[in-house]
Amino acid sequence: MPVVPISQILDPAFAERYGVAAINIVDDLSLDAVLSAATEFESPLIVQTSLKTVKSIGARPLYSMWRARADEVPVPVSLHLDHCPDREWITTCLRAGWNSVLFDGSALDVAENTRQTVEVVAEAERYGAQVEGEIETVLGVEDDVGSDEAGAVHPVEVSARFIEETGVYSFAPAIGTAHGLYKHAPELKPNRVTELVELHPIPMVLHGGTGLKEEEFLDLISRGCAKVNISTALKIAFVDAHREYLDANPGKHDPPSLLSHVRAAVKTMAEYHIGIFGSAGRARTFSATAG
Ligand code: 13P
């Protein structure tokens, strides 16, 4: 039960109100580490790639690397392209085989964003893929995409109309979260998730997961945030583990030991989040219903 459409992972999560971690990987080692965490926890998992990572590795080599690993795991997994404002890259990734894409038209006005998202949804359908929509910029720059300036937040009715008119599968609402590390405790707006889900019951996406408290995750998940994005925590685990190992072993030039130290740190980070979100053990139910 390896690679599945993202709806097969998120439909049950949304219906039963648990969260599925959507973790931005940066290379084969981090991919392997998060897949291994999901396998150990018998949890479904969404693997995400930023546009920067796609550009740095190349869409086809990255997709081959993904399939080589993902086809081996016994839990349902799906590949998602995170914030992508560039239509050509959306097409490249859909063609290569990504299961889901976030067309980030948040820099456009809502009418133009709606118009283009309709096209992306139609294009994705041809590949059996799904689209996440967004009309408000998530605060904080993530891999060169986004802004450190707070953007406009629209009334939920505007988001509901966007969802209705575009037919996006999932939606990323502005709820007070931000990419990167929180400098101050965020002022979350959980009611916006509840209101939107009442208007349009589709999976909501929690951006800016790194640094939220366990009770904040659980509250937002219980309201309908079925996809929970984690990126900064992986970068911190990945980079700090390199530093830690090199500082502790100044004269050593032993890449396999360095890499196994880094892999363990990334895996622990993934396990921490999967453990909170309530998806552990859900792969078992999945195989029972899918099988
Ligand atoms: P963090 O970098 O804060 O974990 O947010 C991840 C995210 O929302 C990716 O889109």
Side-chain angles (χ1 to χ4, degrees):
M1 180 213 333
V3 179
V4 299
I6 203 166
S7 53
Q8 286 193 31
I9 291 178
L10 289 180
D11 284 357
F14 181 63
E16 293 165 47
R17 293 293 193 266
Y18 60 88
V20 177
I23 306 181
N24 291 54
I25 55 99
V26 294
D27 67 351
D28 55 343
L29 179 144
S30 49
L31 170 62
D32 185 51
V34 299
L35 289 176
S36 156
T39 301
E40 222 151 279
F41 277 59
E42 296 182 276
S43 170
L45 182 75
I46 297 163
V47 169
Q48 303 194 139
T49 55
S50 70
L51 182 54
K52 189 176 190 175
T53 296
V54 178
K55 287 179 179 172
S56 83
I57 298 176
R60 285 163 75 81
L62 178 48
Y63 188 77
S64 306
M65 176 181 107
W66 152 254
R67 280 314 286 246
R69 305 253 177 198
D71 283 344
E72 300 294 317
V73 298
V75 294
V77 291
S78 218
L79 182 64
H80 172 82
L81 174 66
D82 201 15
H83 300 273
C84 183
D86 185 324
R87 296 282 301 277
E88 280 184 29
W89 279 102
I90 293 261
T91 300
T92 301
C93 289
L94 287 172
R95 269 203 199 124
W98 264 250
N99 304 102
S100 170
V101 294
L102 166 50
F103 171 59
D104 185 345
S106 59
L108 307 170
D109 63 44
V110 177
E112 178 59 14
N113 188 352
T114 303
R115 191 189 70 73
Q116 293 205 34
T117 304
V118 166
E119 292 177 356
V120 174
V121 169
E123 183 183 7
E125 251 169 39
R126 295 200 289 276
Y127 296 95
Q130 265 114 4
V131 178
E132 178 180 329
E134 172 176 2
I135 62 171
E136 293 127 340
T137 311
V138 179
L139 187 63
V141 178
E142 181 88 64
D143 277 1
D144 304 337
V145 179
S147 166
D148 284 324
E149 303 285 317
V153 174
H154 301 285
V156 284
E157 290 72 20
V158 175
S159 303
R161 202 173 323 122
F162 173 85
I163 293 170
E164 199 170 293
E165 289 177 3
T166 57
V168 288
Y169 168 72
S170 59
F171 184 72
I175 48 174
T177 56
H179 292 141
L181 286 177
Y182 289 99
K183 295 182 190 89
H184 318 281
E187 273 183 44
L188 299 180
K189 302 181 187 73
N191 278 340
R192 284 176 59 85
V193 177
T194 307
E195 285 164 22
L196 256 178
V197 166
E198 266 165 22
L199 290 170
H200 266 287
I202 64 167
M204 294 291 143
V205 180
L206 168 46
H207 281 257
T210 299
L212 290 185
K213 298 195 182 86
E214 180 166 346
E215 59 269 25
E216 293 171 328
F217 279 125
L218 293 178
D219 178 45
L220 290 165
I221 290 168
S222 74
R223 293 168 188 264
C225 285
K227 175 171 178 276
V228 186
N229 287 4
I230 303 292
S231 175
T232 301
L234 183 139
K235 293 178 193 169
I236 292 173
F238 186 90
V239 173
D240 285 358
H242 278 89
R243 214 182 330 262
E244 228 173 66
Y245 181 90
L246 294 171
D247 285 350
N249 300 278
K252 229 168 158 180
H253 299 91
D254 177 2
S257 300
L258 164 66
L259 297 178
S260 95
H261 182 75
V262 174
R263 183 183 182 281
V266 173
K267 182 165 174 254
T268 302
M269 178 286 304
E271 286 171 352
Y272 167 75
H273 289 99
I274 293 169
I276 292 177
F277 299 166
S279 62
R282 303 285 182 166
R284 263 176 289 169
T285 331
F286 188 97
S287 54
T289 49

